[in-house]
Amino acid sequence: MAYDEQMAERIRAALATRDDVTERKMMGGLIFMVGDHMACGARRDGSLLARVGPEEMDAALEEPGVEPMVMRDRVMKGYVYVEGDQIADDEALRAW
């Protein structure tokens, strides 16, 4: 399994009221696209990939259990990883 199925189900539930969500397997996880833009993703380790936008990046990184998304030694501005224990309940997940 390339991503955490439980996290994927929780994300699906959080986005269930939207009609513009699609899913794509990429970057070793399951990415959720909202309106054709990458919004979030379920990762193998139970963490969340979250799009916060460049303007909110610094504030997001001040939260516990959050680190920048890095690909090929490059920080992806506007995207962070959130540890699974920081989004243990559905309210915390929806906040991201």
Side-chain angles (χ1 to χ4, degrees):
M1 174 175 21
Y3 58 88
D4 186 296
E5 288 282 351
Q6 285 184 306
M7 178 59 67
E9 284 301 321
R10 291 180 61 213
I11 294 170
R12 285 184 189 107
L15 297 173
T17 60
R18 300 190 63 107
D19 62 359
D20 59 348
V21 176
T22 57
E23 300 177 13
R24 292 188 187 159
K25 290 181 183 176
M26 56 192 292
M27 296 186 294
L30 182 65
I31 302 300
F32 291 82
M33 311 288 285
V34 175
D36 293 326
H37 298 281
M38 187 167 66
C40 60
R43 300 181 70 214
R44 175 177 296 142
D45 63 1
S47 64
L48 174 75
L49 164 64
R51 180 181 187 168
V52 296
E55 63 282 346
E56 296 297 323
M57 184 85 169
D58 290 339
L61 291 173
E62 291 179 10
E63 296 293 324
V66 176
E67 62 185 53
M69 177 183 177
V70 178
M71 291 187 69
R72 297 187 184 115
D73 298 325
R74 181 174 165 233
V75 173
M76 305 305 290
K77 293 184 191 237
Y79 294 91
V80 296
Y81 294 132
V82 183
E83 291 178 6
D85 60 346
Q86 299 300 315
I87 48 173
D89 63 65
D90 292 337
E91 184 178 337
L93 175 62
R94 281 191 302 274
W96 283 101

